[in-house]
Amino acid sequence: QEDRDYQHPRYAMPRVKAPMDPERQLMIKTKACQRLAKEAAYYKQEVNTNTQKLAKMKNEGKDPYDIKKFDEVLQESVMMVPDSQARLLQHVEELSLFMETHSEQLAVEDEFYKAAQLLQQEHLPHDEKDGAENLTTNIDDLQDDEAF
């Protein structure tokens, strides 16, 4: 009877979550970015396909109600393109920051490390990839009390 009392939830020790392995976190973040990249590409493809279908419907003189409804479907797809691209960019930026902060703990030869680098090359704006390390300010030509 006493042994079972210790199994009761109020006697249980609180569990402390162990920090996640950086390699595992990299894998999860990379796969999420890959999924979002596929999703963004799918929405772009869907917009192109639906635009062509709508033009074909108009040329064939289909029912105006059907054309109107299909145009609504197209507009929903068009609205999803910037949203999916923004989510992709946000996750790729988070991935990039994660890789910077955990660079010494990550294996460079790992397949997810290489995939993450490829995602950054493809989806980060070029000025962000170059970063602030390439920016320089020449203060030699400044006059006294002049701000730069």
Side-chain angles (χ1 to χ4, degrees):
Q1 180 78 351
E2 285 184 28
D3 292 336
R4 277 199 277 145
D5 286 345
Y6 288 109
Q7 301 293 330
H8 192 275
R10 69 177 176 180
Y11 295 113
M13 294 292 291
R15 297 185 98 184
V16 177
K17 287 190 176 185
M20 234 193 203
D21 177 38
E23 292 289 331
R24 181 165 166 74
Q25 285 180 309
L26 177 66
M27 178 194 70
I28 292 169
K29 291 178 184 299
T30 302
K31 285 185 176 183
C33 289
Q34 289 171 334
R35 179 184 52 80
L36 289 169
K38 284 182 183 179
E39 182 181 298
Y42 172 77
Y43 280 123
K44 287 180 185 177
Q45 180 185 5
E46 183 178 336
V47 167
N48 291 336
T49 304
N50 287 347
T51 302
Q52 292 171 357
K53 284 183 183 178
L54 182 62
K56 183 178 177 184
M57 288 174 74
K58 287 180 180 179
N59 289 339
E60 293 176 353
K62 296 285 183 179
D63 184 22
Y65 179 79
D66 290 340
I67 292 174
K68 179 183 173 192
K69 287 298 175 185
F70 197 77
D71 188 41
E72 290 174 7
V73 170
L74 174 62
Q75 293 311 313
E76 288 178 15
S77 296
V78 168
M79 288 188 311
M80 289 305 295
V81 170
D83 179 57
S84 63
Q85 288 177 334
R87 285 185 287 128
L88 172 61
L89 180 61
Q90 176 188 358
H91 280 78
V92 172
E93 287 173 348
E94 289 175 9
L95 175 64
S96 179
L97 181 62
F98 175 80
M99 289 179 70
E100 286 177 21
T101 57
H102 294 86
S103 61
E104 63 278 343
Q105 298 167 338
L106 299 173
V108 178
E109 65 276 353
D110 183 56
E111 68 176 295
F112 291 107
Y113 189 88
K114 292 176 182 176
Q117 285 181 321
L118 183 63
L119 282 165
Q120 290 177 36
Q121 290 171 358
E122 292 174 352
H123 300 289
L124 280 182
H126 294 291
D127 58 323
E128 286 188 31
K129 283 190 289 190
D130 295 338
E133 63 269 4
N134 291 336
L135 298 176
T136 57
T137 303
N138 185 3
I139 60 172
D140 296 332
D141 298 330
L142 292 177
Q143 302 295 325
D144 289 338
D145 300 327
E146 184 180 9
F148 61 96

